[in-house]
Amino acid sequence: MEYKLITEDRYDDVIRHLRDNFFADEPLNKAAGLCRRGYGHRDLEHHSLETLEDNLSLMAVTESNEIAGVILNGILHPGDIETSQKKLELNDDEKFKKIFRLLYTINLKDDIFQKFHVDKAFDVRILSVDSQYRGQGIAKHLVRHSQDIAKECGFKVMKADATGIFSQKILKSNGFEVLLEQYYNKYVDEFGQPILNVESPHIKLQLLYKVLE
Ligand code: ACO
């Protein structure tokens, strides 16, 4: 397996990989029934392409140059979440809103820029491995390589919203620590009903961070 920066000529392949894997499998997307495997999603694709344009994303490729996994990393600046949150309220996709409202709410509970005295953070946004290649350490490698890139590019802090137990384990094994967490059964509507019925073994969302030396 080779690990490389994702260049523009592979953007279409990355989107295809995400449609076949992440868009359907990520625990919150799955709970919301956001999309069917193999199908696109306007807002997730926009989010992915915007992140790719920050030029910090990596892919794991097989000998035959197929994408086995990706990590999409972006740059987060102060105020970005607030701006995205305002835009979200204009969105007409209720399933997408359920997911991103939760993500933005947890992110706004603390201010990582103030906390770590930084004006930008390396944001691990999408970690996805093709179902054929899972359990071989690819995600772990993608996170490790991302740390090298973050350091080379002068970032002092990395963060990730890890939605499932496995991504949480992978990030923690790479030295990330928990800043905040939200149990899914406590993310409820006005009648006390869970907004997202996230499948076991995923029970909570964790906002994880790592300070780079
Ligand atoms: N069951 C049990 N253990 C697992 C599983 C699983 N399904 N998946 C990963 N693990 C464990 C491994 O055993 C390993 O633990 P170890 O180091 O103690 O041996 C550890 O997690 C690392 O596993 P990797 O092989 O590096 O993980 P993999 O390459 O299979 O990718 C990933 C994991 C990315 C979560 C993959 O299952 C996937 O693409 N899932 C769907 C999308 C998703 O949920 N992405 C994360 C959302 S959060 C975010 O994107 C920031």
Side-chain angles (χ1 to χ4, degrees):
M1 204 62 68
E2 216 187 322
Y3 294 84
K4 318 191 219 187
L5 268 179
I6 301 174
T7 43
E8 208 177 330
D9 56 311
R10 299 304 300 264
Y11 285 6
D12 287 347
D13 297 332
V14 171
I15 295 297
R16 216 168 297 124
H17 160 87
L18 294 174
R19 286 179 183 168
D20 290 342
N21 296 279
F22 186 91
F23 290 178
D25 289 346
E26 184 279 326
L28 300 187
N29 293 353
K30 201 171 177 182
L34 192 66
C35 36
R36 285 163 61 196
R37 189 174 309 282
Y39 285 75
H41 189 277
R42 181 196 62 195
D43 298 307
L44 278 183
E45 288 177 22
H46 178 72
H47 176 68
S48 305
L49 288 167
E50 242 184 19
T51 302
L52 284 167
E53 281 164 11
D54 284 339
N55 265 321
L56 299 168
S57 299
L58 292 169
M59 58 186 172
V61 291
T62 64
E63 269 180 21
S64 55
N65 213 19
E66 297 292 319
I67 293 185
V70 298
I71 187 163
L72 304 197
N73 304 311
I75 308 174
L76 191 70
H77 293 104
D80 284 353
I81 304 274
E82 289 86 342
T83 305
S84 303
Q85 198 183 36
K86 279 187 197 135
K87 255 199 224 158
L88 184 67
E89 290 315 311
L90 306 173
N91 196 309
D92 56 3
D93 183 336
E94 288 306 320
K95 294 176 178 173
F96 185 78
K97 271 179 164 168
K98 283 182 184 176
I99 299 169
F100 277 82
R101 268 191 195 134
L102 173 62
L103 296 175
Y104 295 152
T105 303
I106 194 169
N107 272 273
L108 290 172
K109 282 191 177 156
D110 208 339
D111 185 339
I112 57 163
F113 303 105
Q114 244 179 36
K115 196 177 197 90
F116 301 113
H117 309 290
V118 291
D119 58 7
K120 60 177 184 174
F122 187 98
D123 190 10
V124 176
R125 293 189 189 144
I126 290 186
L127 180 59
S128 169
V129 172
D130 188 307
S131 53
Q132 285 185 69
Y133 296 98
R134 289 184 191 157
Q136 300 176 23
I138 293 175
K140 239 178 173 172
H141 266 87
L142 286 166
V143 172
R144 198 170 310 143
H145 283 253
S146 295
Q147 284 174 195
D148 298 338
I149 292 181
K151 278 187 200 165
E152 278 165 28
C153 295
F155 286 87
K156 299 275 182 291
V157 66
M158 294 175 81
K159 69 147 288 250
D161 303 332
T163 55
I165 192 165
F166 304 122
S167 52
Q168 290 160 9
K169 183 175 176 190
I170 291 161
L171 288 154
K172 284 178 203 161
S173 75
N174 273 292
F176 280 67
E177 292 178 53
V178 179
L179 181 66
L180 293 160
E181 57 183 25
Q182 169 71 52
Y183 281 84
Y184 294 129
N185 63 2
K186 301 261 166 60
Y187 176 48
V188 293
D189 62 18
E190 69 262 44
F191 309 108
Q193 294 304 309
I195 293 172
L196 290 165
N197 285 304
V198 184
E199 268 177 24
S200 162
H202 312 296
I203 54 165
K204 60 188 171 186
L205 165 67
Q206 287 189 325
L207 197 163
L208 297 148
Y209 72 96
K210 180 168 180 174
V211 176
L212 302 169
E213 281 132 39

